[in-house]
Amino acid sequence: MAILGAPIRLGSISGGRFDLAPSAIRQALARYSTWYGGIADDVRSVAASDLGDVSIAELRPEEAKEPLAAAVVDALAQSDAVVILGGDNSLTRPGVHGLELPLDRVGLITLDAHLDFRDLDAGLTNGNPVRALLEDGLPGENVTQIGIQEFANSRKYLRDAVDAGITWVPVDEVGAIGIAQVVQERLEDLGERVDAIYVDLDLDVLDRAFAPACPGSRPGGLQSREVMRAVRHFGHHPSVRAIDLVEVDPERDVADITVLTAAACLLVFAAGMADRLGGSERG
């Protein structure tokens, strides 16, 4: 597993010091052990390399695409999967391009309160990476968006997403079905149709009680345990080559809640990779 920092922040429509998150998440890792829970569940069984940060903190999303995509390509050349520490959500587009595959062979799963389908007229931002990827050629039927929240999106953007063929799962449906079943079904569907899956984890999918550092988080989102359960499934699935953790502004955090959650997600992804490489199954 490779870890790559992507401290981009100039694409944010809400402002914020998202460039501070990669360092804060790395520091938070020191507050955890490496033991997951079972007798043999230790993430030290997964070889991990920290490749440092890509120098994109002062670049606009348009300028950051090539260096970040190239860094992801290099990371995947030496690892089974890469964890990208954002940074704002505009990094998802270059991250997907870093898979270096035709976009019709790529699947995208987002855990996000928002559709990220804002218009492109004003340029690339953290509010439109999904629309931008569709404009680049990513088929809508290759996109699943999980955790979409009430009063966080517009009717127009939802209609555009549906018209594009995107599968979207609102937060209430996730609660009714269960996050594990939702994620597993979408992984199985995409895994049969694409060569690689990219996961975009916007931490504002969490209830605001768990994500005060995310400007876009709202009451009524997912719980941290649900998100970590989803991330374990992502780490386990062989088609998942990259996951990003985005939209954390450490300066807005309370008692390090959000940063600690992001660090826990990195560790849980590694635990899923231990399952993947060892061939075991976890629910």
Side-chain angles (χ1 to χ4, degrees), residues 6-213:
I8 189 168
R9 64 184 177 91
L10 298 184
S12 174
I13 56 179
S14 57
R17 295 302 308 272
F18 302 108
D19 56 312
L20 302 177
S23 176
I25 294 169
R26 289 183 177 103
Q27 292 174 26
L29 289 172
R31 297 167 66 175
Y32 286 102
S33 76
T34 59
W35 177 61
Y36 183 82
I39 294 298
D41 287 341
D42 195 308
V43 298
R44 285 181 295 180
S45 64
V46 177
S49 57
D50 189 341
L51 304 180
D53 291 355
V54 186
S55 298
I56 54 175
E58 301 305 321
L59 300 183
R60 296 289 309 169
E62 296 86 348
E63 302 167 319
K65 177 180 178 290
E66 293 304 324
L68 181 51
V72 173
V73 170
D74 291 343
L76 288 175
Q78 55 185 294
S79 62
D80 294 287
V82 59
V83 180
I84 306 168
L85 307 180
D88 69 51
N89 214 155
S90 66
L91 71 84
T92 298
R93 177 176 177 251
V96 168
H97 282 281
L99 296 179
E100 212 174 24
L101 288 168
L103 289 178
D104 64 349
R105 303 304 303 166
V106 173
L108 172 64
I109 298 178
T110 76
L111 264 64
D112 199 330
H114 306 94
L115 295 162
D116 288 347
F117 231 77
R118 288 175 180 263
D119 293 327
L120 298 170
D121 297 347
L124 298 172
T125 70
N126 64 340
N128 58 25
V130 176
R131 185 184 288 274
L133 282 165
L134 265 60
E135 290 289 325
D136 291 340
L138 180 68
E141 57 267 26
N142 288 10
V143 180
T144 291
Q145 300 191 267
I146 300 171
I148 302 300
Q149 293 184 25
E150 307 91 341
F151 310 114
N153 300 277
S154 77
R155 178 183 295 179
K156 176 187 182 300
Y157 297 151
L158 177 58
R159 185 180 296 114
D160 289 347
V162 171
D163 290 345
I166 288 174
T167 297
W168 68 288
V169 187
V171 67
D172 276 355
E173 187 173 335
V174 175
I177 298 174
I179 188 70
Q181 181 175 333
V182 170
V183 167
Q184 196 59 38
E185 288 177 353
R186 302 316 304 158
L187 284 171
E188 290 175 0
D189 174 67
L190 284 172
E192 294 176 352
R193 299 190 285 109
V194 301
D195 296 325
I197 296 172
Y198 185 103
V199 176
D200 165 34
L201 173 50
D202 184 335
L203 274 296
D204 76 15
V205 75
L206 289 160
D207 187 289
R208 192 162 182 82
F210 300 101

